[in-house]
Amino acid sequence: QKEVEQDPGPLSVPEGAIVSLNCTYSNSAFQYFMWYRQYSRKGPELLMYTYSSGNKEDGRFTAQVDKSSKYISLFIRDSQPSDSATYLCAMSLTGFQKLVFGTGTRLLVSP
Amino acid sequence: EAGVAQSPRYKIIEKRQSVAFWCNPISGHATLYWYQQILGQGPKLLIQFQNNGVVDDSQLPKDRFSAERLKGVDSTLKIQPAKLEDSAVYLCASSLDLSSTRQETQYFGPGTRLLVL
């Protein structure tokens, strides 16, 4: 079993849809949870990070962490074609060190 | 602010050949990381430097991979000899300071795509 599981997709949605991206994990000691966006031929860029459980909102993006279920989610409201990218979840015991990444979910938002 | 620079962007070699990748981190960033991202997978950390010292190389295949950061700025990652399974994108990332009490974000470069034939 991989430490972090993520559906590779692709996930295709129409513009304006609400998108839900998810990861599950096996290590209950993880404390930091991140979401990265990676455009084709580019490196990952940090979208949001959360410490421990709870929700965090930033514009159209909301990150949720449910440590009891070992499940994290990223919601994108009013999705745009520019949101088309691969979304990677990552997590760690100690902040931004020793990140363990999921495989990434490819998102396609059609106009 | 200039981002993390990497070169070359693409490289094709035959198995058993050697190859080297170069990374120039964001100015002032003390911590530098090399990741391997195989197609369809997330990045996997190979090695982490703090200035010119190695912090973590536990996942670096040391029989064929080596990395250095001699002056605490630029870094090179070398593979010798390359195998087919080394085909991947090699990402370099940097962050401000591992010793900082703040949570320092990693900034990634565009990566070098390696194809081993």
Side-chain angles (χ1 to χ4, degrees):
Chain A
Q1 182 190 12
K2 290 183 180 179
E3 232 177 337
V4 179
E5 301 272 4
Q6 188 175 7
D7 187 328
L11 176 62
S12 295
V13 301
E15 183 176 357
I18 297 174
V19 175
S20 172
L21 303 165
N22 312 294
C23 288
T24 59
Y25 61 96
S26 57
N27 188 348
S28 57
F30 284 139
Q31 294 282 359
Y32 294 85
F33 304 92
M34 298 85 169
W35 285 97
Y36 286 81
R37 178 174 62 196
Q38 186 173 24
Y39 290 114
S40 181
R41 303 276 195 273
K42 301 287 188 183
E45 58 177 333
L46 180 68
L47 274 177
M48 302 179 69
Y49 80 92
T50 310
Y51 172 72
S52 194
S53 284
N55 295 0
K56 189 172 184 179
E57 188 173 322
D58 184 2
R60 295 185 296 113
F61 298 89
T62 300
Q64 287 186 354
V65 175
D66 181 351
K67 291 191 71 180
S68 62
S69 301
K70 296 180 192 167
Y71 188 88
I72 69 170
S73 301
L74 177 71
F75 297 96
I76 307 174
R77 291 183 298 281
D78 188 25
S79 56
Q80 303 295 310
S82 58
D83 295 328
S84 297
T86 295
Y87 290 79
L88 296 153
C89 64
M91 41 201 81
S92 76
L93 306 176
T94 55
F96 287 92
Q97 310 304 318
K98 291 187 179 291
L99 296 178
V100 179
F101 283 87
T103 56
T105 298
R106 188 172 169 219
L107 172 66
L108 303 171
V109 181
S110 54
Chain B
E1 178 182 75
V4 176
Q6 290 188 247
S7 67
R9 292 297 309 276
Y10 305 91
K11 190 74 177 178
I12 301 174
I13 62 172
E14 295 187 350
K15 60 183 179 184
R16 292 187 288 273
Q17 285 187 323
S18 62
V19 64
F21 313 126
W22 173 82
C23 173
N24 180 235
I26 292 172
S27 177
H29 280 195
T31 311
L32 185 146
Y33 311 79
W34 282 103
Y35 289 85
Q36 179 192 58
Q37 186 174 22
I38 293 173
L39 186 65
Q41 297 183 20
K44 182 184 85 170
L45 180 68
L46 293 175
I47 189 167
Q48 177 180 339
F49 292 94
Q50 174 72 2
N51 295 309
N52 59 350
V54 176
V55 173
D56 182 358
D57 64 356
S58 57
Q59 298 193 92
L60 186 74
K62 298 180 184 66
D63 58 333
R64 297 184 301 105
F65 285 66
S66 65
E68 60 184 13
R69 193 183 184 202
L70 291 176
K71 296 183 179 179
V73 182
D74 294 3
S75 177
T76 56
L77 176 69
K78 297 179 182 178
I79 307 175
Q80 183 178 10
K83 293 185 175 181
L84 298 178
E85 59 261 35
D86 298 332
S87 295
V89 176
Y90 291 84
L91 294 163
C92 179
S94 69
S95 64
L96 200 57
D97 190 344
L98 175 63
S99 62
S100 169
T101 55
R102 297 176 299 175
Q103 296 303 328
E104 299 293 355
T105 305
Q106 294 184 30
Y107 296 87
F108 286 83
T112 295
R113 287 181 174 268
L114 174 67
L115 178 61
V116 182
L117 301 175

